[in-house]
Amino acid sequence: MKLRDELPVDHHLASVYRYGAGFCGLVLLAFAALGFADALSPFDTAGDTIAGMTTNVALSVISTVVGLALLGGAVIGGNFASTLNIVVGGLFFLSGFAHVFVLDRPANVLGFGMSNVIFSFVMGLFIATFGMYGRVSSKLSHDNPYWAARHPEQAAREQGSARTAPAGTAETAGAPTAVAKPVRRGRR
């Protein structure tokens, strides 16, 4: 199963992946730009405060690279953007966990503070949610390509029944069948 073949190009999920990657990439680029504008030192472990978080040039460079990668994913779109969002979101989580252990220590070369750790967890959750939207759930709709890839036999049966149904019926239109109820008039 190849991810690039699962999602049709015009599927509505592609816009969720694309906008999510683009928005998160722009947030990271804005944070990086503020860090560069403050002319920080490269590996200052105390870090200056920008937008409520501590930062240094190294963190600004990393934020720029990740922000540009997310914007690239937004341009490419589709399954690539989804997978990129999931991976970057996971890396943000790992970064948050790793930096919890190096707070106030010389190993804190990115100058993380507790607000950075919380931002890392929240941004990781946000990015990963954009990537997993419509892919990871127990209740995906049956027209979802990810559901079809996980349930190939049932998807084939449903696709076959949709092809054999006469044109104009409820099965081909996707609408539920209405059952007419008899109307009673007068008293008995």
Side-chain angles (χ1 to χ4, degrees):
M1 169 168 69
K2 294 181 180 178
L3 289 176
R4 68 176 181 268
D5 298 334
E6 284 182 25
L7 189 65
V9 175
D10 61 345
H11 199 276
H12 67 279
L13 290 175
S15 62
V16 173
Y17 307 144
R18 187 171 278 200
Y19 291 136
F23 174 74
C24 294
L26 288 174
V27 168
L28 290 173
L29 286 175
F31 177 72
L34 289 173
F36 285 131
D38 205 26
L40 306 168
S41 58
F43 293 104
D44 184 17
T45 56
D48 288 341
T49 302
I50 303 288
M53 294 179 285
T54 57
T55 188
N56 58 24
V57 172
L59 183 57
S60 294
V61 168
I62 291 171
S63 297
T64 302
V65 169
V66 174
L68 289 174
L70 287 171
L71 285 178
V75 169
I76 295 170
N79 288 320
F80 179 79
S82 172
T83 304
L84 180 68
N85 285 347
I86 292 170
V87 169
V88 169
L91 290 174
F92 265 86
F93 273 112
L94 290 175
S95 171
F97 282 119
H99 284 96
V100 162
F101 295 110
V102 297
L103 286 175
D104 299 327
R105 294 202 166 82
N108 188 5
V109 295
L110 296 180
F112 262 54
M114 193 53 156
S115 59
N116 295 72
V117 171
I118 293 170
F119 176 79
S120 188
F121 286 135
V122 170
M123 188 60 119
L125 177 66
F126 202 61
I127 295 171
T129 300
F130 274 122
M132 290 187 276
Y133 182 78
R135 285 181 83 166
V136 181
S137 174
S138 62
K139 298 184 193 240
L140 295 174
S141 65
H142 291 209
D143 68 336
N144 187 307
Y146 298 107
W147 180 88
R150 292 182 196 132
H151 306 91
E153 296 86 18
Q154 188 175 352
R157 281 194 308 268
E158 288 180 9
Q159 201 172 36
S161 68
R163 285 185 191 148
T164 59
T169 63
E171 289 178 356
T172 58
T177 4
V179 178
K181 295 183 181 182
V183 178
R184 288 189 182 186
R185 296 183 188 226
R187 295 184 146 185
R188 287 189 179 195

